Every structure is written in structure tokens, then in C-alpha cells.
Amino acid sequence: MKQFIVELINDRFMIAAVLLFGLGFMNLLLQKNLIKKIIGFNVMDSSIFLFLASQGYINGRIAPIITNGVFDAEVYINPIPSGLVLTGIVVSVSVTAFFLALTVRLYGIYKTVDFDEIMLLINKEAE
Amino acid sequence: MNIETNFFKRLNDWVNGEADRLFPELHETDAPKPPEPVATIGPLPNKDVLFLTSYQAVALIVVIGMVSILLYTVYKLPLFGVADNPAVNEVVERYVEKGLEETGAVNVVAGMILDYRAFDTLGESSVLLLAITSVMMLLLKDEKNTDPDEELIEAHEAVIEDHNRDMILQTMTIILMPAIMLYGIYVILNGHLSPGGGFSGGAILGAGLILFASGFGHNRVKKFFNMKTFRTLTTIALLGYGVLKTYSFLLGANHLPTGIPLGTPGAIFSSGLIFVLDICVGLIVACTMYGFFSVFSRGEI
């Protein structure tokens, strides 16, 4: 039991990332407002970044910037997740902008950002 | 005294929601009034309510199941922060130990994303270009895409905005703007020496432009940053990145000498192409950030 709690505290970043992912996914599924759905999507993105960054960290090591001529890999943290997070942030920004643009167009046509109302209006148009 | 009581009465009305505006005389403009909003539809039919309830229950079960599976996976993953976990493998060793020698960048992450994995970063820049292109396709105002009602609303808003420029915002913009721009340029130019680089510096530059645009209006920004500048900068930066990196890949990837000097590690003009590529990426990101803001708020750049 004691070991379990120690592991729980040690893995707090990954657990927080998973919980945030669930929260964001819940938001994405259950919110009716399209803007709030997009916010949920962004929370999911952030949880992935937290997970990747926590995978790269190593206790007691410093950021991989070689300033005093130490080339030993034992001194620095893992630089690869940092680069992956960078890619992720760019893709997240781009996708969010595209979603928001689509929402603006939908609002222009249906004058609402409520997903259910938009679906009802589309069904009415189809009939 | 009379004026003060009048003001407090108006403030009271405004707080209680009886009056629409605190200073109605400020908002009386010659612009045409916006049209009435379209009436919304009524309550949902019974069948849809049933569907929505079951949908919510299923969504809750699915998410809880997924989170528990993920939590179990986290429990089985290697411990956080331990040096011998499998993610820290020979690739990391190679990047850290040979990175400075091979790329010339003091910042290993910059050396990694702009030299070893530069193709990936070219893809990221292209994703940004693709995003701004699709947003412009959706939202840019042209002959087919304009609605007379919307134009009326926007003309109305523009007149109100021009009459009520926020003094606090303008003063703070004048104070902060040079510092923000300088800091953005510093972060871009020091990308290979310190944390930062093209993406973060470009985002800072874009934020400075957005602050200026919200303080002084789009027409002031248009004097030095319009559609033509946007197109020129983005095209030059992306093409420059592509051409430079293609050259380096054709020669450098096969261990042929590229003829690009790496310079002294730690100096500002060092690390070969990374310095130039950082500037290219920074330009693309700054243009894209301001482009998003401008297209979303005005429908033009």
C-alpha cells in the first residue's frame, strides 16, 4: 500500500495528464456549444503535451543547453519529447484556428453555435 | 452637485439594467443600426430528448472506461523521472554528446529540430501555412462571400470603435510594443543559444502586432503590414527554408562537406543554417499569428 502511494505521487504528472484528457474528451462529447467543444479539444491537446514533457524529464538533470562544456548525456534531460511537444503545439494551434473558422461560417449560416440547434436546422432543410 | 447626482442616478440605472448604456451620448453615431437577430427555434421534440440522454450516458461510460484503461497503463509505465527508463536510449545520447559538434547549436533542442529533424519542422511550417490558407479560404471577404447585413453591422462597429479608442490600451501599447518586439527578435535570434527559437519568438512578435492592432485599429497596421507584405514574407520564408534545407540535405545527409561554417559555439553567428532557419520559422509564425487575428476579426489582412 505504501509503495502504491509513493508510486502514485511519483507519477502525478502522468495521472494529471490522463485525467485532463478525460475531462477534455468529456467536454468535446457533451458540450452543445461549438466553442466549448473546441476548448475541450484544446484541453486534450494540453494533456498530451504534459504527458510528453513528463516523459522527457529525469530527476536531478538540467535542460539540454550546453553552456559549460559538459557533453555527458548523464547531465541533461531527454531533448526529444521537447521537440515533439513543439510539433504538437503548432498542429494544435492550426487545427484550433481551422475549427474556429468553420464555427464562424456555421454561425454565419445558422445564426447559432449550438450544435443541436444546427443539426435540427439541417434536418429541417433536408425535409 | 447636480451633475454628480445625475451621474450616480445613471450609474445606478446602468447597474440595475434599466438603462442600456452608461453614456448614451457617446454611442450616438451616424452609422446605420444593425438588423434584428433572427428568432431561434423552439424546444426539442421528445424523441431527441431521449436520444440526448442516452448519448450523454454512453459518453460518460466510454470516457470513464477510457480513463481507467489509461490510468492502468500509467501505473504500468516506467516511473517518472528515472534515468534508466527506455525512452532515454542511444538516440538521446547521440543528440546530447555529438549535437554541439555536428550542428554547432548550444541548445540541443534547437539543434535537433532544425538540423537532425529539420524536415519535420518544414512540415510544421507548412501546416501553419495550410492552416492560415484554409482560414482565409473560409473567412476572407470577397464578392461572393459578403452579406449586406453583416457589412452594416461591421460598419456600425467600426464607427463606434473609431470614436471610442481605449486610452489605457493605447498608452500601454506605446510603452510595451517596443519591448515586446525587441524581446521577440531576441528570442528568435538566440534560438540556438538559449531556450526559445523561431516558434516562440514568432508567437511573441505576432502577439505584439495583435496588441498594436487592437489598440490603434487595423488601418494603422495596414500601413506597414498588408496582404502584400504577408504574402511576400510567408513565401520568402517558406521557400528559403525549403531551398536551404534541401541543399543541406542533399550534401549533409550523405556526410559530404556542405561548406556552411558552423562558427564558434556560443557566438550569435554560429551553428550554420540553424540561425537562418530560425529567422524563417519566426517570420512564418509571426505572419500566421497576426493573420489569424486579422482574418477572424476583420475578414481581411
Side-chain angles (χ1 to χ4, degrees), chain B residues 43-192:
Chain B
L44 294 172
N46 253 346
K47 198 182 79 182
D48 290 333
V49 171
L50 188 70
F51 169 73
L52 277 178
T53 326
S54 54
Y55 169 76
Q56 284 172 356
V58 170
L60 191 70
I61 293 165
V62 166
V63 171
I64 287 177
M66 195 186 66
V67 166
S68 18
I69 292 170
L70 285 177
L71 278 178
Y72 183 69
T73 318
V74 164
Y75 179 67
K76 289 287 175 188
L77 274 181
L79 282 176
F80 166 78
V82 177
D84 54 356
N85 82 43
V88 189
N89 52 15
E90 67 278 2
V91 182
V92 179
E93 264 173 41
R94 164 77 187 220
Y95 282 167
V96 173
E97 286 172 359
K98 297 274 181 175
L100 184 61
E101 187 188 316
E102 285 177 352
T103 67
V106 169
N107 182 350
V108 175
V109 178
M112 194 186 85
I113 62 167
L114 287 170
D115 196 299
Y116 292 114
R117 300 184 174 205
F119 222 47
D120 180 42
T121 312
L122 178 62
E124 279 174 59
S125 314
S126 310
V127 164
L128 274 177
L129 182 76
L130 199 67
I132 184 72
T133 313
S134 40
V135 168
M136 274 157 68
M137 272 169 63
L138 285 168
L139 296 181
L140 218 53
K141 293 263 187 305
D142 52 19
E143 300 90 44
K144 293 175 189 169
N145 192 13
T146 42
D147 186 7
D149 292 349
E150 269 179 34
E151 278 184 353
L152 281 187
I153 298 175
E154 272 169 20
H156 187 73
E157 281 174 357
V159 173
I160 291 178
E161 220 174 78
D162 281 339
H163 282 266
N164 300 309
R165 284 267 166 241
D166 192 1
M167 197 188 191
I168 299 174
L169 190 58
Q170 284 193 339
T171 318
M172 286 316 288
T173 307
I174 292 171
I175 297 170
L176 284 178
M177 174 89 174
I180 292 176
M181 289 319 228
L182 265 182
Y183 184 59
I185 293 168
Y186 169 83
V187 169
I188 291 178
L189 293 187
N190 276 278
H192 52 299

